């Protein structure tokens, strides 16, 4: 028998939970913390001092030597700068570990090296971090020791957001405020806020570390830049939900334990579609905590893999030809008195509220499809969106057959008097039917699908932060709620007004509903007819942030200023250009130093063979033919390599960031493909023993 693992005992053992605060803080301090947590505002410095001391004592008892303000710059990952709790020793040389309230609530990391777009030029480089009191502090333990991590937002001195967290928190406030107006209209006087909840399903690949270390492309780019397909891919569908291999199983076990200790509710695990691909899903929680936890999930996945002699690849497309990885972002809105706004509910009244919410979401998604698409774009995701394994770059909504039929009836007749599939009908006082949420069937190809009591945004890239998609979702829905509430609060006859508004929104925005196969070519054509945007790449999506429509939306709810949006657009171009540049340089390096030399050696041995066979008086035509073929591909590779060197140098010289990003997309990437093609072809014909790097088969089947 192995040691008994008690999950209840270890869960959140590394988190300074509310429970621990309650235990360790004086009652009045605890109450103030709880109040600020629930209602916002700031802690007084005196209170912060008391909290800081309790937090430090707990951390030190658990071995911590340092603390850090843990934040999420625009790199999409987290950042930390450790400070020891040490202070000036006294006369006798004794040092007492210290941590003040001021240090807890505010930090001043040097911000100058983080991407900030125009903000760096416009404002001071310095930034400060401010404690996000609603996300609990935790202990990170690794070779550095034990570090107390304080989740923070990161802003410039003049208040501009330099991170992904600040806008998210602002968007959560905005959607809460506007959603409250909606539930008030339906007589809910008890709710004091509406919380956005998120459950992200995280996909990842595991490869053997020794093999990983032999591939510069995996090391520098996080994905393979070369590689012929393995004889077997995912076509047998035998990996999806398949038996988990021993080595992977013991990894998953360790990963879960680490995550549970950090208070992450790791819940579901399974093998995914592609060989060596897996998934982990936690239970949903408040959006900002879900964002923090997803960062911890990604970080812990990488860390634990090392202990098992493996490397975790979070890239959206580590291997061409098999499925890439994404993140299904499950999102819903709930009041603090327990009503899920996306739950159809049991009474006609609740149903009307639900239908209004649905109509508003349809309006939001249709009006801002471009922004939603943008929110889920990163460099790696360009390989998925629009490619045939992932949802297309077109945003549409899936409602399920029954709900779609209700929308259709409402649009056509202004009433929904019956349910298909013989669901129960409870018209009651209203003209809207009661429906059964279990009747929402699944459509795996839709980018934005209603799944019973939540929407599942299936766009997000596996390596990306989920902050931006949730910020955008909250923002666009806040706007739709606000406009609806503006109308309904003034209505003389609420019942009639709400009915008319639902019909109006559903009619105006029904083009966003699509229940068919989102991967098909017909849909691309149909979407174009409907006028839905099909934005094909990350760089093309970037400018959606700074349209008048977007600026109006984000400024209205105080989520982003124009300047912040402009800076973010710039960061996108920079990030794109830099990433593709790294990929191109890695290809140049690998082709020039590994593939081409290896193949040249091989041609030499082939040539020797041809001569030897001929000398021996036998027919050397097969050997000569292979030599011819290999030499031809080698020449093509060399030519493409030279071209890639040239075009990459040209790209680096472009000064305008936007022009540069587009040049990388339209020119550099094309040549990268030109170089890849002959080398992948060579891999198929060259003697295996001379191939300089592990193959796709070795990487994905021999984990
Ligand atoms: P799937 O079949 O797509 O795997 P699950 O029911 O397992 O769906 O849920 C996937 C994710 O959705 C989980 O993280 C789960 O906690 C989350 N989830 C469930 N209900 C909600 C909700 N109301 N709001 C947000 N996320 C939710
Ligand atoms: Mg899902």
């Amino acid at each position: 028998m192995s040691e008994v693992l008690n999950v209840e005992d270890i869960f959140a053992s590394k988190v300074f939970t509310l429970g621990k605060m309650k235990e360790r803080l004086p009652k009045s301090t605890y109450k103030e913390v709880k109040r600020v947590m629930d209602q916002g505002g700031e802690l007084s410095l005196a209170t912060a001092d008391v909290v800081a001391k309790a937090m430090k004592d707990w951390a030190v008892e658990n071995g911590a030597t340092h603390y850090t303000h843990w934040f999420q710059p625009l790199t999409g990952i987290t950042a930390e700068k450790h400070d020891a709790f040490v202070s000036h020793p006294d006369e006798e040389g004794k040092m007492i570990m210290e941590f003040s309230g001021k240090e807890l609530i505010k930090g001043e990391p040097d911000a100058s090296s983080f991407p900030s777009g125009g903000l760096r030029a416009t404002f001071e480089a310095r930034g400060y971090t401010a404690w996000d009191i609603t996300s609990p502090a935790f202990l990170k333990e690794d070779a550095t020791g034990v570090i107390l991590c304080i989740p923070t937002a990161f802003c410039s001195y003049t208040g501009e957001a330099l991170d992904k967290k600040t806008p998210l928190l602002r968007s959560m406030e905005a959607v809460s405020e506007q959603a409250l107006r909606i539930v008030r209209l339906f007589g809910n006087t008890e709710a004091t806020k509406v919380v956005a909840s998120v459950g992200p399903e995280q996909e990842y690949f595991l490869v053997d570390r020794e093999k990983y270390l032999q591939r510069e492309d995996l090391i520098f780019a996080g994905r393979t830049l070369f590689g012929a397909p393995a004889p077997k891919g995912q076509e047998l569908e035998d990996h999806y939900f398949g038996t988990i291999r021993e080595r992977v199983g013991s990894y998953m076990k360790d990963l879960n334990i680490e995550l549970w200790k950090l208070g992450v509710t790791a819940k579901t695990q399974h093998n995914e579609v592609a060989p060596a691909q897996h998934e982990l899903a936690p239970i949903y929680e408040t959006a900002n905590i879900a964002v923090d936890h997803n960062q911890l999930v990604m970080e812990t996945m990488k860390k634990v893999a090392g202990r098992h002699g493996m490397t975790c690849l979070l890239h959206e497309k580590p291997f061409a030809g098999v499925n890439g990885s994404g993140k299904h972002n499950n999102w819903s809105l709930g009041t603090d008195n327990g009503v899920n706004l996306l739950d159809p509910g049991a009474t006609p009244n609740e149903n009307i509220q639900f239908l209004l919410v649905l109509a508003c979401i349809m309006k939001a998604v249709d009006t801002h499809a471009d922004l939603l698409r943008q929110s889920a774009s990163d460099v790696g995701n360009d390989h998925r969106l629009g490619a045939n394994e992932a949802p297309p770059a077109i945003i549409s909504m899936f409602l399920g057959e029954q709900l779609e039929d209700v929308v259709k009836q409402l649009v056509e007749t202004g009433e929904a008097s019956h349910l298909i599939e013989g669901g129960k009908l409870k018209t009651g006082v209203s003209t809207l039917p009661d429906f059964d949420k279990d009747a929402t069937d699944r459509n795996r190809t839709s980018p934005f699908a209603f799944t019973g009591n939540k929407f599942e945004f299936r766009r997000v890239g596996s390596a990306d932060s989920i902050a931006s998609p949730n910020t955008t979702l909250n923002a666009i829905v806040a706007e739709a709620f606000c406009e609806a509430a503006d109308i309904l609060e003034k209505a003389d006859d609420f019942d009639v007004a709400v009915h008319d508004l639902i019909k109006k929104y559903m009619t105006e925005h029904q083009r966003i509903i699509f229940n068919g196969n989102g991967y098909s070519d017909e849909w691309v054509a149909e979407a174009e007819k409907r006028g839905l945007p099909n934005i094909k790449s990350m760089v093309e999506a970037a400018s959606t942030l700074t349209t008048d429509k977007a600026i109006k939306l984000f400024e209205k709810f105080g989520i982003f200023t124009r300047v912040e949006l402009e800076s973010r657009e710039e960061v996108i171009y920079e990030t794109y250009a830099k990433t593709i540049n790294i990929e191109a340089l890695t290809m140049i390096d690998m082709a020039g130093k590994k593939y081409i030399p290896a193949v040249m050696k091989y041609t030499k041995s082939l040539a020797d063979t041809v001569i030897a066979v001929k000398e021996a008086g036998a027919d050397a035509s097969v050997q000569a033919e292979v030599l011819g073929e290999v030499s031809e591909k080698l020449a093509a590779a060399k030519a493409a390599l030279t071209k890639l060197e040239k075009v990459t140098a040209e790209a680096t010289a472009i000064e305008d960031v936007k022009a540069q990003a587009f040049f990388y997309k339209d020119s550099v990437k094309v040549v990268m493909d030109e170089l890849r093609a002959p080398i992948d072809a060579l891999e198929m014909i060259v003697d295996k023993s001379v191939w300089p790097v592990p193959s796709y088969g070795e990487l994905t089947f021999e984990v």
Side-chain angles (χ1 to χ4, degrees), residues 197 199 201 282-284 330 332 340 442 444 453-454 456:
S197 290
E201 304 164 50
I283 298 174
Y284 68 96
N330 294 271
S332 69
N340 179 353
R442 296 296 178 105
R444 287 279 154 200
N453 61 1
K454 59 181 161 65
E456 191 167 332

